[in-house]
Amino acid sequence: MKKNIYTTLLLALLVMTSCHNATVPETFTDVNKAPTIYPDYRDVTVPVNIAPLTFEWDGGCDELVARFSAGGHELVCGGEKVQPDMDEWRQLLSQTAGSAIDVEVYMKKNDQWSRYKPFKIQVSKDSIDPYISYRLISPSYVTYEELTLNQRCLENYDETVMVDNMLCGTEVNGQCVNCHNYQQYNPGRMQFHARQFHGGTVIVYDGKISKINMRNDSLLSAGVYPTWHPWLPLIVYSTNKTGQSFHTRDLNKIEVFDSASDLIAYDVEKNEVTNIENDSTEFEVYPFWAPDGKTLYYCSAHFEDRDSVLAHEAEIIFRAKQIRYNLYKKSFNPDTYEFGPREIVFQADSLGKSATLPRISPDGRYLMFTLGNYGVFHIWHHEADLWLMDLTTGETRPMKELNSDDTESYHSWSSNGRWVVFSSRRNDGGYTRPFIAHVGQDGKGSKPFELPQADPDYHRQFMKSYNIPEFMRGPVEVTPQEFARVLKASDGEPVKYVGALRGSAK
């Protein structure tokens, strides 16, 4: 009797069912091909703390059943869509960390069940940062004001608005917000920009919220693309004069370009700013600190006017496909705040290419960047791909395991360096979606998987793009209303321009 009770309890622990009490069909036809599901989660690697992977039959069906099994553990789920229960999914992942889940998919159509070839979901012991943030924007310059900065918990489907641009706009005056960035994934130290009406840079620093006015006669513009020093109260920005052109025959319909750009450094505690690079024939952009705080990476393109008749911006538009960016670095002394001369890291123009968005892995070994045929704004370039450089060997290669036939652009490393999130247009060529991939210590990436949603059809119905996905250790606690109040309260505290960076006292 005791043995029977023990067996019953054991089976109850090993077998889990959910999704409307779904059961595996008893009668079916075996189909010798992989199931056609959306999102495509076949043979992906996921972190042990990721939200449930929901999916549907791509093309529609009468009913769907999926059996997730690993060892003696089983989760059966079904209905019109496969949507595992949150608690049961977490239990399955925790029991499967370091191994794989086998997935069988059964599809019913015209009252006939079919079983497709099983696939695996590898569950990595490497966890992922619990949050990411991104900008949600319609893929059109017409409605750019209707945008938000959002944060999403990766361990479930919770999403909240951090900054709501429409809280500051009016029928006459509008603005946009962009370029959110954090110091070492810390949501308590963040910044973002507002342009045009109520423009300025908002900085959250250990509980204090400030609006900074970086406009200065000695600078091209306010700070644009930011990077926080790993521990110093120092943010490096590019300052940019940016424009757009539109094409009717080119596959890349919109070209965003810089007619001038420099690098500046801003001291958060002293409210001081200075130029780092301001050569008028160089377009410096996209700075990023190495994790040791001793090297600053960035991109730059050389450009000199040749036509005595055309205006500068007009010549840039006509020669847009000739403008190519290389990757550079500058040494930095954290004690004296002194930068060294620039050094070439990757000469993309020698390949007839343009390199942008350098991001260094937290262990300092790998440099990931975006490579396109030309230009600086590769989110609009369908040929753009992710590349990886091993900084210990100099070996550089395209990340074929992550790339698709369409745009791969902005990317961010997780704090443990084992995951990357990046923007891709692989689904339809029009909307960027966040994709996540595991990167091993050897620099090899796994098959990317799309950001999970409670409803697997969500991204097919959602008509906004995800821009600048960034990992975070936790959520930003400041409310959208508080951010709006700070933006509307004043023009911002003017920065003090100084001729050189002032080092720490030692």
Side-chain angles (χ1 to χ4, degrees):
M1 182 69 176
K2 288 184 179 180
K3 184 177 179 181
N4 290 337
I5 293 174
Y6 175 80
T7 303
T8 302
L9 290 173
L10 180 62
L11 289 173
L13 289 172
L14 293 181
V15 179
M16 301 177 289
T17 60
S18 68
C19 294
H20 317 297
N21 298 316
T23 58
V24 174
E26 296 181 358
T27 305
F28 51 82
T29 301
D30 275 314
V31 179
N32 190 31
K33 64 179 182 179
T36 306
I37 60 173
Y38 173 80
D40 182 8
Y41 291 135
R42 297 171 301 175
D43 303 315
V44 298
T45 298
V46 301
V48 68
N49 58 328
I50 196 69
L53 304 186
T54 66
F55 58 84
E56 61 188 353
W57 192 262
D58 195 2
C61 65
D62 298 333
E63 193 174 345
L64 200 61
V65 169
R67 174 161 56 190
F68 303 86
S69 58
H73 310 290
E74 185 175 286
L75 168 60
V76 178
C77 192
E80 293 183 2
K81 303 172 183 180
V82 172
Q83 297 166 295
D85 174 80
M86 186 75 67
D87 291 336
E88 294 175 352
W89 175 261
R90 287 173 178 166
Q91 185 179 352
L92 182 63
L93 288 189
S94 67
Q95 294 165 338
T96 317
S99 58
I101 299 172
D102 293 306
V103 186
E104 290 179 302
V105 175
Y106 300 78
M107 188 268 284
K108 182 180 180 182
K109 201 162 190 177
N110 299 324
D111 293 325
Q112 298 293 321
W113 282 102
S114 299
R115 181 177 68 176
Y116 289 76
K117 290 178 65 175
F119 62 89
K120 293 182 181 295
I121 297 175
Q122 299 289 333
V123 182
S124 173
K125 292 182 179 179
D126 297 322
S127 62
I128 199 167
D129 294 293
Y131 278 81
I132 59 171
S133 56
Y134 37 77
R135 181 171 68 158
L136 293 178
I137 184 171
S138 300
S140 168
Y141 68 96
V142 177
T143 59
Y144 78 93
E145 292 175 7
E146 187 185 350
L147 58 89
T148 58
L149 300 182
N150 285 29
Q151 54 190 358
R152 159 71 191 272
C153 181
L154 294 177
E155 298 177 339
N156 53 46
Y157 308 118
D158 292 348
E159 182 183 43
T160 57
V161 174
M162 295 190 301
V163 181
D164 187 344
N165 193 52
M166 297 301 287
L167 290 178
C168 292
T170 68
E171 292 182 1
V172 178
N173 297 302
Q175 64 178 27
C176 78
V177 292
N178 56 15
C179 298
H180 52 286
N181 191 257
Y182 310 88
Q183 185 178 43
Q184 289 294 88
Y185 309 91
N186 181 358
R189 292 186 175 183
M190 72 164 294
Q191 72 93 69
F192 68 90
H193 302 303
R195 293 187 296 177
Q196 297 175 310
F197 189 54
H198 294 314
T201 299
V202 175
I203 295 178
V204 179
Y205 195 74
D206 295 346
K208 180 183 178 182
I209 309 173
S210 305
K211 180 181 177 182
I212 308 301
N213 182 359
M214 288 193 186
R215 295 190 177 276
N216 187 282
D217 291 342
S218 299
L219 305 176
L220 279 176
S221 69
V224 182
Y225 303 112
T227 177
W228 284 78
H229 189 273
W231 67 86
L232 293 174
L234 189 68
I235 309 176
V236 170
Y237 297 91
S238 63
T239 58
N240 306 65
K241 291 185 176 180
T242 303
Q244 294 183 99
S245 58
F246 301 87
H247 307 288
T248 56
R249 292 185 296 175
D250 198 298
L251 180 64
N252 299 324
K253 297 300 182 185
I254 299 177
E255 190 62 37
V256 179
F257 60 88
D258 288 332
S259 59
S261 55
D262 295 330
L263 297 181
I264 63 171
Y266 173 68
D267 189 311
V268 176
E269 294 180 348
K270 297 178 180 177
N271 193 35
E272 294 177 347
V273 67
T274 188
N275 280 305
I276 302 173
E277 290 282 342
N278 59 352
D279 187 333
S280 62
T281 65
E282 291 287 331
F283 295 164
E284 300 95 350
V285 70
Y286 295 134
F288 190 79
W289 286 105
D292 65 2
K294 297 179 180 180
T295 308
L296 179 72
Y297 289 81
Y298 64 98
C299 310
S300 185
H302 186 77
F303 185 87
E304 296 183 40
D305 291 334
R306 298 175 185 171
D307 196 305
S308 59
V309 178
L310 284 176
H312 177 64
E313 281 201 1
E315 185 165 351
I316 288 174
I317 292 173
F318 277 102
R319 292 171 55 195
K321 293 188 177 182
Q322 301 172 26
I323 301 175
R324 296 186 171 95
Y325 288 73
N326 296 320
L327 299 182
Y328 294 92
K329 67 179 180 180
K330 294 172 74 70
S331 62
F332 176 75
N333 187 324
D335 295 324
T336 64
Y337 279 46
E338 292 178 333
F339 285 96
R342 81 173 188 175
E343 303 173 56
I344 188 73
V345 175
F346 182 73
Q347 194 161 352
D349 61 359
S350 66
L351 304 175
K353 299 290 185 179
S354 183
T356 59
L357 296 167
R359 304 300 294 261
I360 317 299
S361 60
D363 62 4
R365 180 172 178 181
Y366 295 109
L367 163 62
M368 189 178 293
F369 60 94
T370 303
L371 196 72
N373 290 340
Y374 60 92
V376 71
F377 214 71
H378 286 146
I379 192 70
W380 288 110
H381 285 206
H382 293 281
E383 83 284 354
D385 282 332
L386 297 177
W387 280 54
L388 192 74
M389 174 183 285
D390 187 332
L391 294 175
T392 62
T393 65
E395 178 187 359
T396 307
R397 67 175 183 89
M399 297 202 74
K400 294 181 180 179
E401 64 272 36
L402 268 59
N403 294 326
S404 69
D405 293 334
D406 217 299
T407 306
E408 272 70 53
S409 181
Y410 195 94
H411 46 277
S412 173
W413 292 90
S414 65
S415 61
N416 62 8
R418 296 280 69 90
W419 303 93
V420 291
V421 59
F422 60 94
S423 298
S424 178
R425 294 188 191 269
R426 66 186 63 198
N427 283 354
D428 54 25
Y431 293 90
T432 53
R433 306 299 188 211
F435 281 77
I436 299 169
H438 185 265
V439 179
Q441 292 182 352
D442 59 358
K444 301 295 184 182
S446 66
K447 177 181 175 179
F449 64 93
E450 193 167 349
L451 176 68
Q453 298 287 356
D455 184 346
D457 204 43
Y458 181 83
H459 283 152
R460 285 177 162 172
Q461 307 296 326
F462 188 56
M463 300 182 68
K464 287 190 177 181
S465 284
Y466 295 71
N467 286 355
I468 317 182
E470 288 274 8
F471 283 109
M472 309 152 67
R473 296 185 187 274
V476 171
E477 301 292 349
V478 184
T479 66
Q481 291 76 17
E482 179 65 9
F483 277 134
R485 186 193 66 77
V486 171
L487 277 170
K488 293 189 288 187
S490 69
D491 292 333
E493 182 180 358
V495 297
K496 292 173 282 188
Y497 180 80
V498 295
L501 285 173
R502 302 178 186 179
S504 58
K506 289 200 71 175

